[in-house]
Each structure stands twice: as C-alpha cells, then as structure tokens.
Amino acid sequence: MNKDRYYNFWLAFVNIRAGEGFKFNDLIDLGADGVNSTYAGAWANIIIKAGDINGAIEIIPQGLKELNFDVVFIDKIENIASLMEYKQINELVVAEVDWLEKSTYVFKISDKLFPYG
C-alpha cells in the first residue's frame, strides 16, 4: 500500500462539548443505549485533511463549530501515514481516510463518539 498519499491526513483524539446555547444530548444520536443518560461531552477520533499538523490544529475547532461543538482539549494528533507505517491503525479507519480523500470535506469524526457524564 502506498503510504505517501496519506501524509496529508491526521488523526486527532479530541475532547468535545456542546457549543454555547446547545445541549450535548441534542447534538448526538444516543441510540437505544443512551436514551436515559445525560452527557457533558465526549471524546472523539477526528480525521483531518491538512498539509501539516498546524493546518490540522486549525481545522479541528472550525469543523466542530459547524456541528455546534467546542473543543475542550486536543489530547494528541498523529499522522495517518506514520500510523500505517507502525501498524497502529485499522482498515476501517483507513477506509474512512480514503472516503475523506475522495470527498470535498477536510474533516470527519471517525467511527463513534465516546460520551461521558
């Protein structure tokens, strides 16, 4: 697999909360498991298309703001190509990166949110 095409993609682990004037539960699909739960925020894996890590850092709050979320804390950001080189990424995430590469978007929440109370 040619990892070179993945150097402009980043995976960030981000703590998020509802933006001002919004309730977190109203912004997410709780499914059957979380109907009776009230969440304060969540951790999320976010895939970003950016030329460098600084660009990724700029895109994260902008993309989340469009979804009515705010960044609480960016725990880490890693390059997708590097994760692939060290076999620290699964094929499902690579498939999401491939989707993002073909789209006009530069930001995608990967898999699911991990909410907390």
Side-chain angles (χ1 to χ4, degrees):
M1 179 180 290
N2 181 4
K3 291 185 276 281
D4 290 346
R5 63 184 254 237
Y6 295 101
Y7 280 109
N8 291 328
F9 292 90
W10 305 85
L11 182 64
F13 191 55
V14 182
N15 186 340
I16 62 175
R17 66 174 174 229
E20 188 174 332
F22 294 93
K23 293 182 181 177
F24 193 84
N25 282 37
D26 294 340
L27 299 175
I28 61 173
D29 179 7
L30 295 171
D33 295 338
V35 173
N36 296 321
S37 300
T38 301
Y39 298 110
W43 286 95
N45 287 303
I46 300 174
I47 302 168
I48 308 102
K49 185 189 319 183
D52 59 32
I53 196 168
N54 293 324
I57 291 169
E58 289 178 17
I59 290 170
I60 292 169
Q62 293 170 9
L64 288 167
K65 184 64 79 183
E66 288 182 13
L67 300 172
N68 300 312
F69 293 110
D70 289 332
V71 172
V72 175
F73 179 74
I74 298 174
D75 184 54
K76 64 182 174 178
I77 299 177
E78 297 178 282
N79 183 268
I80 295 290
S82 296
L83 290 170
M84 292 173 74
E85 181 177 340
Y86 294 105
K87 297 176 180 30
Q88 295 179 334
I89 194 167
N90 68 42
E91 290 300 315
L92 294 174
V93 176
V94 173
E96 290 181 317
V97 173
D98 290 341
W99 176 90
L100 187 60
E101 179 182 39
K102 295 172 185 158
S103 78
T104 59
Y105 300 106
V106 296
F107 173 93
K108 180 178 184 352
I109 294 176
S110 178
D111 192 22
K112 63 180 183 174
L113 297 176
F114 301 94
Y116 58 84

